[in-house]
């Protein structure tokens, strides 16, 4: 038990007997470091408000030209009841990070190979998204006057953003594209479907579906933000080999073909009567040979030789020794 704990804490590499599970301490530091880089890297996009709103106009016009459904239709559905819109705001604020952490934690303990694969995919998607957030700042639809949408989190709560986007030091509100809410949720569903075999595993697709409705209905993202996230995820899944995919490593040499050994010709098995007759003849022959041997021994022994005399020549009587 102590050996397993030391391996889990990163004091030694995990052994094959532990399923190839990477050291826990190293993984915690790695995931925390990636999160901090992403969190503070997003702040680099602050201060580009003019570009962010120009890009928002372009995205809005592109969606209309492509005949995307209006984000306002989804928001109107959520605004039918205040409890519903509050639940959507809470889902946006409270499910994103905990669901992803729980997903990685479960894979780490139960499916180590799928954990490494999922962590690499998420890291690649997040890094690419961070680069796009810096290069292409984008104001969300809740801040775009042309959209006619309302900021549901600010009006109904709860909200994870500051009241003034320009002075929000905790989050970058001009990093709408791509939507990591949707990208991470879609990866959670794909990872669980790949790592499990239950016929109910396809229900995990409800998580990205609900997330999509929430991010659009709360006016935090455009439809194209989700499309961009799905495209990045698809690219990452192509680049990062899954646990069951052939990565081009040559397989082990096949086992040698068994050498054929010549089989001996079958011998005829005597029948039962013949076997019994042979045994009787053999026994009779042995008895006759024994009698002839005794007769020959008696004939060769000189008369007067006491019985039990040694056959060895030159034997000295016991009484002659001095």
């Amino acid at each position: 038990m102590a050996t397993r704990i030391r391996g889990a804490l990163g004091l030694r590499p995990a052994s094959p007997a532990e399923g190839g599970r990477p050291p826990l301490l190293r993984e915690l530091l790695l995931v925390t470091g990636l999160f901090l880089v992403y969190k503070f890297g997003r702040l680099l996009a602050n201060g580009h408000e003019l570009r962010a709103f120009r890009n928002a106009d372009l995205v809005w016009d592109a969606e209309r030209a492509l005949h995307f459904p209006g984000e306002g239709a989804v928001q109107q559905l959520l605004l039918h009841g205040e409890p519903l819109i509050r639940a959507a705001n809470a889902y946006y604020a409270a499910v994103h990070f905990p669901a992803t952490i729980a997903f990685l934690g479960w894979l780490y303990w139960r499916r180590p190979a799928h954990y490494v694969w999922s962590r690499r995919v998420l890291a690649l998607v997040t890094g690419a998204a961070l680069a796009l957030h810096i290069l292409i700042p984008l104001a969300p639809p809740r801040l775009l006057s042309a959209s006619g949408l309302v900021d549901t989190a600010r009006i109904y709560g709860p909200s994870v953003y500051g009241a003034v986007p320009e002075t929000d030091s905790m989050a970058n509100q001009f990093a709408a594209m791509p939507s990591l809410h949707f990208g991470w949720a879609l990866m959670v569903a794909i990872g669980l479907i790949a790592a499990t075999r239950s016929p109910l595993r396809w229900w995990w697709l409800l998580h990205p579906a609900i997330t999509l409705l929430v991010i659009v209905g709360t006016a935090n993202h455009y439809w194209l933000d989700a499309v961009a996230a799905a495209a990045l995820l698809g690219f990452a899944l192509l680049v990062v080999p899954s646990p069951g995919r052939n990565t081009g490593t040559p397989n082990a040499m096949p086992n040698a073909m068994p050498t054929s050994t010549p089989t001996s010709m079958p011998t005829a098995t005597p029948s039962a009567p013949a076997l019994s007759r042979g045994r009787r003849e053999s026994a009779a022959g042995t008895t006759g040979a024994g009698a002839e041997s005794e007769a020959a021994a008696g004939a060769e022994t000189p008369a007067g030789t006491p019985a039990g005399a040694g056959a060895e020549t030159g034997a000295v009587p016991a009484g002659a020794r001095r």
Side-chain angles (χ1 to χ4, degrees):
M1 180 62 69
T3 304
R4 289 179 176 270
I5 294 176
R6 285 195 297 269
L9 292 178
L11 300 180
R12 63 168 180 80
S15 64
E18 296 170 328
R21 185 180 297 112
L24 178 60
L25 182 59
R26 188 192 71 184
E27 292 302 309
L28 289 176
L29 293 176
L30 179 60
V31 173
T32 303
L34 290 174
F35 171 75
L36 293 177
V37 169
Y38 160 73
K39 194 69 175 176
F40 290 105
R42 284 180 49 154
L43 298 179
L44 296 177
N46 283 338
H48 303 284
E49 291 80 9
L50 292 179
R51 273 205 303 151
F53 281 104
R54 283 199 302 267
N55 292 333
D57 290 329
L58 293 175
V59 170
W60 184 261
D61 294 339
E63 286 188 347
R64 307 291 76 80
L66 295 172
H67 302 288
F68 274 73
E71 286 85 350
V74 181
Q75 188 172 83
Q76 290 301 317
L77 291 176
L78 297 180
L79 289 175
H80 275 305
E82 186 172 333
L84 184 59
I85 193 61
R86 285 183 178 272
N89 292 333
Y91 196 94
Y92 180 85
V95 176
H96 176 48
F97 282 111
T100 307
I101 293 174
F103 161 70
L104 291 175
W106 185 85
L107 287 182
Y108 179 84
W109 291 111
R110 302 297 298 272
R111 303 289 189 274
H114 286 83
Y115 162 78
V116 175
W117 168 63
S118 300
R119 188 248 293 154
R120 289 173 178 172
V121 171
L122 286 174
L124 183 58
V125 170
T126 305
L130 175 59
L132 290 178
H133 292 163
I134 296 174
L135 296 175
I136 310 174
L138 180 66
R142 58 186 170 82
L143 299 179
L144 186 64
S145 58
S147 67
L149 302 174
V150 298
D151 190 345
T152 60
R154 183 175 60 84
I155 297 175
Y156 299 98
S159 177
V160 295
Y161 299 114
V164 182
E166 293 80 4
T167 60
D168 190 356
S169 60
M170 297 302 295
N172 176 20
Q173 299 194 41
F174 300 106
M177 181 182 288
S179 170
L180 283 179
H181 271 75
F182 180 73
W184 287 10
L186 185 58
M187 182 58 205
V188 168
I190 293 175
L192 289 174
I193 290 172
T196 57
R197 291 295 177 265
S198 170
L200 302 177
R201 66 187 186 276
W202 299 101
W203 286 99
W204 288 112
L205 291 173
L206 284 176
H207 177 44
I210 294 174
T211 301
L212 179 60
L213 294 178
V214 165
I215 63 175
V216 173
T218 57
N220 283 291
H221 288 282
Y222 306 92
W223 293 111
L224 285 177
D225 296 342
V227 173
L232 285 181
L233 179 60
F235 173 76
L237 291 174
L238 288 176
V239 172
V240 181
S242 61
R245 191 194 305 178
N246 183 12
T247 58
T249 304
N251 296 328
M253 293 296 293
N255 294 332
M257 295 295 295
T259 57
S260 58
T261 56
T263 55
S264 57
M265 295 296 294
T267 57
T269 304
S271 60
L275 183 61
S276 300
R277 185 170 59 254
R279 287 177 179 175
R280 288 196 299 270
E281 293 175 355
S282 175
T286 304
T287 305
E292 293 175 359
S293 300
E294 291 178 0
E300 294 174 0
T301 304
T305 302
E312 297 180 359
T313 306
V316 180
R321 296 176 182 170
R322 296 294 179 187

